[in-house]
């Protein structure tokens, strides 16, 4: 699909955003209008809907606002001044919840509900655009509301389902006593809402009945189905599907919060949901027209509105991501680095993991254009080179006028001795989705490389599909087909077909391992890993001490695995706590286990 000239809806209703209040603006003086008038006029109603869209998350700030990358085992954020550091060392409690989004998303839910209940009164929209436009706007708000519920559920687990009930912000405590619903009940509700929304949403954003470039960013059928795909994949996973370790997690009335009975049908439901997105035939994996693998992998993020992008947010702060990930040589802040665990996860160019490939070596160096490169970094797959800035690689970006070798030795230009805080603790920096034209850091001139932030893309849907299908119908030919499509685009050998084909995994367990490994690499640093290791219940195995190269050394002493940081995990960390403030207000709430 062509995606250009996108305009993200402007946020103009901050009062409504905060309260969903009885009055849009005070009626005095006379040029201000009542909330009733808002929903009789076209423009104010559309501005109200724009406010609902404003709750869609921009997850580019992983150090202060969103912990899904820096609190997993894939990357480390170097600065101790940000809340991600407190989370990693376990400095959180119900009385001081970090990254707390509970109230934020419930405000979005309330605003969406208020809009849905009042937009039918808009006589001006009906006269100008017809009932169809009102119905579409309601479907957009319904989809947004369902998405906000999903975002609550992935962070907090079971939530309170309010349905179409509107609670006045000033309501007394007795009026807001809603218990949390079991997770499966929450899932069924959100799925039903997404299905209703999808039925009323266009395949592509439209204006006056025509596909319009100016409308990209609005809810579509594909977005609704993609949200459903991710939700049902989570619901089918071990954390939620027959998890007997959560047997004591109950409401005060004894209602079980997490299903104690395993159901294979949940996997089928997840597979069907992913396939529904694919069957729209609207999306395809992005590939460079010239067949260049590197340009294909980079273009996913930098070729705006391309065919792989399903749900994006234009308004974002990705330029800050760029600056935080770039080396000091480029004017960056040199502080977001892949862990050694993530570096080790990338395949070799023969498509095999490092512990199975004869190409892998941690002995010696190779001369690359006059620079000695450690053999650990040689013969790796293309995604490694597009994703990771490593010792003695070549980089150009920011305020660099020409390519240069990047060094993380302690006394080097990006090393620990050169700045008290701006240095990578792992000896690597993230390169994936880093806009090298951005230069807003130290010594920069404020340039920004603009592009949308991707919230859902087709590669994830393919990986959702093959994971669910392998659990429900192992051996189904689609598993290899779509897994291999990911690998083919990545420029590595496929399983059972093509040049240098690798053996097909012989058992569902082996295939599960391959799918998880592919997901870890393909979706790296995109905010998936935190939820994946929890829903698979492997977080206790992979969290803890995170490693990197020895950034306290120069020369060959640098190339040694050492502990770079600690990303604490304890049983309570499967979900965030509900704040004590919310627990005090809603006496029927049960707190998440361990808090």
């Amino acid at each position: 699909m062509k995606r250009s000239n996108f305009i993200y809806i402007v946020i103009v209703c901050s009062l409504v955003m905060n309260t969903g209040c009885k009055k849009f603006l005070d009626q005095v003086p006379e040029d201000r209008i009542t909330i009733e008038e808002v929903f009789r006029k076209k423009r104010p109603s559309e501005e109200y809907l724009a406010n609902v869209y404003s709750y869609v998350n921009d997850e580019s700030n992983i150090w202060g606002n969103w912990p899904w990358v820096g609190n997993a085992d894939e990357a480390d954020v170097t600065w101790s001044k940000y809340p991600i550091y407190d989370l990693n060392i376990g400095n959180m409690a119900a009385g001081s919840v970090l990254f707390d989004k509970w109230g934020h998303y419930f405000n979005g839910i309330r605003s969406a509900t208020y809009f849905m209940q009042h937009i039918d009164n808009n006589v001006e929209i009906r006269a100008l655009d017809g009932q169809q436009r009102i119905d579409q706007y309601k479907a957009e708000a319904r989809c947004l509301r369902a998405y906000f519920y999903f975002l609550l559920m992935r962070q907090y687990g079971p939530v309170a389902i309010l349905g179409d009930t509107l609670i006045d912000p000033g309501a007394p405590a007795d009026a807001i006593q809603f218990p949390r619903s079991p997770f499966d009940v929450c899932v069924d509700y959100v799925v039903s809402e997404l299905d209703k929304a999808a039925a009323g949403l266009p395949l592509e954003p439209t204006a006056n009945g025509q596909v319009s470039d100016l409308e990209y960013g609005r809810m579509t059928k594909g977005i609704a189905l993609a949200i459903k795909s991710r939700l049902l994949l989570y619901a089918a996973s071990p954390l939620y599907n027959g998890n007997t370790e959560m047997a004591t997690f109950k409401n005060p009335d004894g209602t079980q919060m997490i299903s104690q009975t395993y159901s294979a049908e949940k996997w089928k439901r997840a597979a069907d949901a992913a396939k529904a997105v694919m069957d729209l035939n609207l999306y395809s994996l992005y590939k460079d027209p010239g067949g260049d693998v590197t340009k294909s992998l980079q273009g996913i993020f930098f070729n705006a509105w391309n065919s792989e992008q399903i749900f994006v947010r234009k308004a974002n702060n990705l330029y800050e991501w760029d600056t935080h990930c770039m080396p000091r040589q480029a004017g960056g802040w040199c502080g977001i680095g892949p862990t050694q665990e993530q570096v080790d996860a990338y395949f070799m160019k023969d498509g095999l993991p490092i512990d199975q490939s004869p190409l892998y070596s941690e002995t010696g160096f190779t001369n690359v254009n006059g620079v000695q490169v450690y053999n650990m970094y040689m013969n790796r797959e293309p995604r490694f080179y597009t994703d990771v800035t490593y010792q003695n690689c070549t980089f150009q970006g920011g305020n660099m006028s020409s390519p240069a070798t990047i060094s993380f030795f302690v006394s080097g230009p990006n090393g620990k001795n050169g700045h008290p805080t701006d240095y990578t603790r792992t000896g690597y920096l993230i390169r994936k989705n880093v806009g090298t034209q951005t230069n807003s850091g130290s010594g920069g001139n404020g340039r920004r490389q603009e592009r949308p932030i991707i919230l859902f893309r087709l590669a994830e849907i393919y990986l959702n599909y093959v994971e669910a299908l392998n659990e429900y119908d192992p051996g189904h030919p689609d598993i290899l087909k779509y897994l291999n499509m990911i690998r083919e685009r990545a420029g590595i050998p496929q399983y059972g077909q093509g040049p240098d084909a690798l053996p097909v995994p012989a058992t569902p367990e082996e295939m599960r391992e391959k799918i998880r490994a592919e997901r870890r690499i393909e979706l790296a640093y995109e905010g998936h890993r935190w939820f994946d290791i929890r829903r698979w219940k492997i977080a206790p195995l992979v969290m803890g001490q995170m490693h990197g190269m020895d950034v306290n050394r120069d020369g060959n002493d640098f190339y040694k695995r050492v502990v770079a940081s600690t990303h604490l995990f304890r049983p309570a960390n499967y979900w965030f706590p509900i704040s004590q403030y919310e627990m005090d207000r809603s006496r029927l709430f049960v707190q998440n286990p361990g808090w």
Side-chain angles (χ1 to χ4, degrees):
M1 291 187 300
K2 179 183 178 184
R3 300 191 176 198
S4 60
N5 300 321
F6 169 95
I7 295 181
Y8 190 82
I9 304 171
V10 179
I11 304 167
V12 295
C13 306
S14 60
L15 179 61
V16 179
M17 176 175 62
N18 292 329
T19 65
C21 58
K22 294 178 180 178
K23 290 191 175 182
F24 174 59
L25 294 169
D26 198 346
Q27 196 172 7
V28 180
E30 293 181 356
D31 61 344
R32 297 187 178 182
I33 59 178
T34 65
I35 191 64
E36 290 78 13
E37 290 172 307
V38 165
F39 285 102
R40 287 198 295 268
K41 297 178 181 293
K42 179 179 171 71
R43 182 174 177 179
S45 288
E46 291 175 340
E47 289 172 346
Y48 195 112
L49 182 58
N51 164 68
V52 182
Y53 271 96
S54 75
Y55 289 92
V56 173
N57 42 310
D58 165 18
E59 298 188 2
S60 56
N61 181 336
I62 70 165
W63 48 92
N65 292 334
W66 306 97
W68 319 133
V69 176
N71 185 235
D73 61 338
E74 62 182 351
D76 182 69
V77 178
T78 196
W79 302 281
S80 60
K81 63 183 178 180
Y82 293 120
I84 190 66
Y85 177 80
D86 289 316
L87 187 63
N88 281 334
I89 64 173
N91 189 17
M92 181 170 70
S96 56
V97 181
L98 303 171
F99 304 98
D100 190 7
K101 306 298 180 182
W102 182 272
H104 173 79
Y105 289 131
F106 269 115
N107 283 339
I109 287 167
R110 187 182 194 283
S111 291
T113 301
Y114 197 95
F115 179 88
M116 292 164 60
Q117 292 186 0
H118 290 81
I119 190 61
D120 278 320
N121 299 329
N122 200 300
V123 293
E124 186 175 10
I125 293 179
R126 187 176 292 106
L128 292 172
D129 302 321
Q131 183 65 36
Q132 182 276 335
R133 176 59 67 176
I134 289 177
D135 292 343
Q136 178 181 323
Y137 284 168
K138 287 177 70 174
E140 290 180 37
R142 188 180 300 276
C143 189
L144 287 164
R145 184 174 71 174
Y147 181 53
F148 302 148
Y149 270 115
F150 162 71
L151 295 175
L152 281 166
M153 292 162 61
R154 70 173 188 166
Q155 183 171 355
Y156 298 97
V159 299
I161 298 295
L162 305 181
D164 293 325
T165 301
L166 276 172
I167 301 174
D168 190 281
D174 289 346
I176 58 173
Q177 299 308 309
F178 291 85
R180 300 173 75 181
S181 297
F183 192 80
D184 285 351
V185 172
C186 297
V187 169
D188 289 343
Y189 170 77
V190 175
V191 166
S192 69
E193 289 292 288
L194 290 168
D195 286 342
K196 290 176 185 176
L201 290 170
L203 291 173
E204 297 185 83
T206 60
N208 300 319
Q210 302 295 322
V211 175
S212 171
D213 289 353
L214 298 178
E215 299 297 311
Y216 278 119
R218 303 188 81 100
M219 295 294 103
T220 62
K221 184 172 184 177
I223 293 173
L225 296 182
I227 298 168
K228 178 180 173 181
S229 169
R230 192 185 295 179
L231 170 61
L232 288 177
L233 183 77
Y234 287 10
S237 301
L239 182 60
Y240 301 105
N241 191 359
N243 184 2
T244 55
E245 292 179 6
M246 295 293 172
T248 60
F249 185 17
K250 300 178 181 180
N251 264 344
D253 64 0
T255 302
Q256 200 84 50
M257 291 288 97
I258 303 297
S259 171
Q260 299 298 289
T261 305
Y262 173 80
S263 171
E265 285 296 314
K266 290 182 179 180
W267 288 111
K268 180 181 187 304
R269 200 179 180 194
D272 290 345
K275 190 64 162 56
V277 180
M278 296 152 58
D279 287 345
L280 293 175
N281 295 317
L282 287 173
Y283 312 106
S284 60
L285 295 182
Y286 175 79
K287 293 183 180 180
D288 171 61
D292 187 298
V293 171
T294 297
K295 290 182 179 179
S296 293
L297 295 171
Q298 293 171 336
I300 296 167
F301 306 96
F302 290 102
N303 189 341
W305 333 122
N306 68 66
S307 62
E308 184 163 346
Q309 298 175 359
I310 299 174
F311 185 14
V312 301
R313 190 186 201 275
K314 182 181 181 184
N316 61 67
N317 291 315
L318 279 173
Y319 71 92
E320 292 185 353
W321 162 264
D322 299 340
T323 303
H324 282 72
C325 290
M326 274 196 281
R328 294 203 307 271
Q329 278 175 263
W333 294 342
C334 201
I336 304 179
T339 62
Q340 189 66 48
E341 285 77 8
Q342 181 66 27
V343 168
D344 292 344
Y346 286 94
F347 301 132
M348 303 301 291
K349 69 179 183 180
D350 60 9
L352 293 171
I354 62 173
D355 60 352
Q356 298 176 22
S357 173
L359 299 176
Y360 185 72
S361 173
E362 291 188 20
T363 302
F365 298 82
T366 297
N367 187 298
V368 179
N369 298 322
V371 177
Q372 295 297 105
V373 176
Y374 189 38
N375 280 335
M376 175 188 285
Y377 311 134
M378 299 301 298
N379 299 309
R380 303 302 287 266
E381 62 154 306
R383 287 177 295 194
F384 173 77
Y385 297 109
T386 60
D387 288 7
V388 180
T389 301
Y390 55 91
Q391 174 73 19
N392 281 352
C393 73
T394 300
F395 183 92
Q396 182 178 4
N399 59 17
M400 300 172 71
S401 59
S402 61
T405 300
I406 301 300
S407 167
F408 300 115
F409 290 143
V410 65
S411 60
N414 307 289
K416 184 176 179 180
N417 285 354
H419 197 282
T421 59
D422 293 357
Y423 64 90
T424 166
R425 292 190 293 188
T426 67
Y428 304 97
L429 290 174
I430 293 176
R431 186 179 292 214
K432 184 178 184 179
N433 195 17
V434 172
T436 54
Q437 296 176 28
T438 289
N439 184 14
S440 59
S442 56
N445 59 14
R447 292 195 308 267
R448 299 183 182 185
Q449 188 165 354
E450 303 286 356
R451 73 273 190 195
I453 187 169
I454 299 174
L455 302 178
F456 288 79
R457 62 184 177 101
L458 185 63
E460 179 206 339
I461 302 301
Y462 283 176
L463 291 165
N464 293 354
Y465 180 55
V466 298
E467 179 182 343
L469 202 57
N470 184 62
E471 300 297 331
Y472 177 75
D473 189 9
H476 193 291
D478 276 0
I479 299 172
L480 277 180
K481 175 182 176 180
Y482 290 100
L483 187 60
N484 278 335
M485 288 175 71
I486 298 287
R487 293 175 68 86
E488 188 273 334
R489 196 262 298 276
I492 55 176
Q494 302 169 46
Y495 297 113
Q497 65 184 47
D500 305 315
L502 300 178
V504 175
T507 67
E509 291 74 23
E510 290 180 18
M511 181 58 82
R512 179 190 299 141
E513 180 182 346
K514 300 299 184 184
I515 292 169
R516 290 183 178 184
E518 202 72 48
R519 188 177 180 96
R520 179 176 192 176
I521 300 167
E522 177 65 26
L523 302 179
Y525 325 121
E526 296 181 47
H528 292 273
R529 181 70 176 169
W530 195 94
F531 301 100
D532 286 345
I533 62 178
R534 281 158 175 76
R535 68 184 178 86
W536 293 330
K537 294 176 64 178
I538 66 169
L541 305 177
V542 301
M543 294 283 279
Q545 291 184 334
M546 299 289 105
H547 295 81
M549 294 289 97
D550 193 344
V551 299
N552 294 300
R553 298 287 185 268
D554 282 323
N556 290 354
D557 292 337
F558 172 89
Y559 301 102
K560 175 185 176 182
R561 284 180 174 81
V562 296
V563 175
S565 62
T566 298
H567 293 188
L568 180 70
F569 183 87
R570 55 190 182 190
N573 293 142
Y574 281 109
W575 301 292
F576 274 57
I578 299 173
S579 72
Q580 193 59 49
Y581 170 76
E582 296 293 346
M583 293 295 296
D584 291 342
R585 294 176 69 216
S586 304
R587 295 185 294 272
L588 295 180
F589 278 1
V590 60
Q591 182 60 277
N592 279 330
W595 300 102

